[in-house]
Amino acid sequence: MIELQISTHSGVVNYLEFGDTKNPTIICLHGLAGNGLYSFGELVPLLQEDFHLILLDNPGHGKTAPFPNEDDYLFANLARWVERAAAKIVEGPFYIMGHSWGADMALHYTRHYPDKVLGLILLDGAFIFPHNQPEMNFDYAYAGWNDYMDRSIFSDKEQIYKEYKSYTKKWDSQKEQYSDSLFQKRSDGKFELVASKFTVLAIIQAFFKEPFQEAYPFIHVPTLLIHAELPQILEDARTRGILQLSENIEDFFVHRVEDASHMLQWDEPEASAKIISQWIQEKPL
């Protein structure tokens, strides 16, 4: 692993680099309130022999500088941010992979910079939240995430682990370290998320201002959706999202990971990595 930083118009961008630069590059974009290692650390040892991996810390997350304004977090602006960062890190076209919010970022990047993308990989994102969940109107989603940020203040690391252990069926000491990396210690001794409430709520607004379905007709690269089986309550939303993707993207492949929840790369890293590797190997460079 190599941890590096570059400077862009928006400040410092932090990223991790794995693998040989001679192999196909995958730029990886993490989920909301996460960071690159948290979202993709389980996949790295399974992919780094065959691919050159770039794990970005997105704006306001990890060690990357936050944006000053709410509209900076609109997906069109995030796509521009990815482009400026990628131009300083890699040469030539690459695969782009995102988990959850990062999948929406990858989707919108591909819409705006199609010539840079060899293939788009969506990990359980950019097809359900919020528009295919009837109950998920703006007020409901905004209030829910506002409450989540207020609750995500912990007195000690054991409380953090108790919370994050519920996100996966396979908890271990490595995932404790991933979870630790999301938090910073305050002056009062408590732990709070590195991502601020301002950043998180600005991103929630972006989901509603730039719906993922509006980007689908502009996607003309091979696209892979890997999605979770659980929870079952989201099955109708998944069905709607997959249909929308298949109707708009000609070269589209979907794969369900059985007995996995939203953190499918934690629950079933081997299965997820195998799907990614096989799909890329079938695509011409």
Side-chain angles (χ1 to χ4, degrees):
M1 180 184 77
I2 303 174
E3 183 171 18
L4 298 165
Q5 292 185 338
I6 57 171
S7 296
T8 69
H9 71 295
S10 60
V12 170
V13 176
N14 191 76
Y15 67 97
L16 301 175
E17 185 171 13
F18 301 84
D20 192 331
T21 58
K22 295 179 181 178
N23 290 330
T25 295
I26 308 176
I27 289 184
C28 305
L29 306 174
H30 62 77
L32 186 56
N35 62 41
L37 190 61
Y38 171 86
S39 285
F40 299 106
E42 292 293 289
L43 293 179
V44 165
L46 302 169
L47 295 175
Q48 64 179 344
E49 293 300 317
D50 296 317
F51 302 103
H52 173 224
L53 304 174
I54 301 295
L55 281 55
L56 292 176
D57 284 347
N58 298 336
H61 294 70
K63 299 177 183 178
T64 293
F67 288 145
N69 305 307
E70 284 184 349
D71 282 354
D72 292 336
Y73 288 98
L74 291 173
F75 286 108
N77 293 329
L78 287 169
R80 190 176 303 113
W81 175 87
V82 173
E83 171 58 15
R84 288 171 172 167
K88 290 194 170 187
I89 298 171
V90 298
E91 295 183 6
F94 47 81
Y95 292 90
I96 189 164
M97 174 167 66
H99 173 247
S100 195
W101 165 53
D104 289 80
M105 287 180 63
L107 172 74
H108 286 274
Y109 177 84
T110 304
R111 171 183 180 171
H112 292 287
Y113 301 95
D115 293 342
K116 302 295 181 70
V117 179
L118 294 170
L120 169 64
I121 304 169
L122 309 174
L123 299 184
D124 213 51
F127 79 121
I128 293 180
F129 176 85
H131 309 289
N132 283 325
Q133 297 176 257
E135 78 285 0
M136 199 61 70
N137 59 47
F138 174 76
D139 290 340
Y140 184 89
Y142 193 89
W145 275 93
N146 185 72
D147 179 65
Y148 176 82
M149 295 302 293
D150 287 340
R151 289 187 291 105
S152 294
I153 298 174
F154 301 97
S155 298
D156 55 52
K157 290 188 176 183
E158 289 306 316
Q159 289 186 351
I160 295 173
Y161 303 153
K162 182 179 179 180
E163 170 72 18
Y164 283 77
K165 188 175 182 179
S166 68
Y167 297 173
T168 181
K169 65 181 183 181
K170 294 182 179 179
W171 185 255
D172 54 32
S173 60
Q174 187 66 61
K175 296 183 183 69
E176 289 184 356
Q177 295 180 38
Y178 298 153
S179 301
D180 281 344
S181 72
L182 302 185
F183 288 85
Q184 57 190 356
K185 197 170 186 178
R186 307 193 313 189
S187 59
D188 62 2
K190 293 184 178 181
F191 294 88
E192 65 181 2
L193 286 164
V194 172
S196 70
K197 181 189 286 192
F198 170 82
T199 290
V200 167
L201 294 182
I203 292 164
I204 294 302
Q205 293 186 63
F207 276 107
F208 288 87
K209 292 180 178 179
E210 295 175 299
F212 54 72
Q213 300 101 318
E214 293 183 0
Y216 290 171
F218 299 94
I219 305 302
H220 302 294
V221 304
T223 300
L224 169 65
L225 169 66
I226 306 175
H227 71 85
E229 179 186 27
L230 304 173
Q232 289 289 344
I233 195 172
L234 292 177
E235 194 58 27
D236 287 345
R238 292 188 188 102
T239 300
R240 285 192 289 271
I242 291 168
L243 179 61
Q244 291 159 1
L245 281 160
S246 63
E247 288 178 339
N248 284 278
I249 301 176
E250 182 177 355
D251 191 349
F252 172 65
F253 182 78
V254 59
H255 201 294
R256 176 196 298 266
V257 180
E258 304 297 330
D259 198 31
S261 58
H262 185 53
M263 290 295 290
L264 53 86
Q265 68 274 35
W266 279 18
D267 287 344
E268 297 293 342
E270 292 84 4
S272 301
K274 182 177 180 181
I275 295 164
I276 293 165
S277 295
Q278 290 183 343
W279 181 78
I280 291 179
Q281 288 167 6
E282 295 172 357
K283 303 299 170 189
L285 294 178

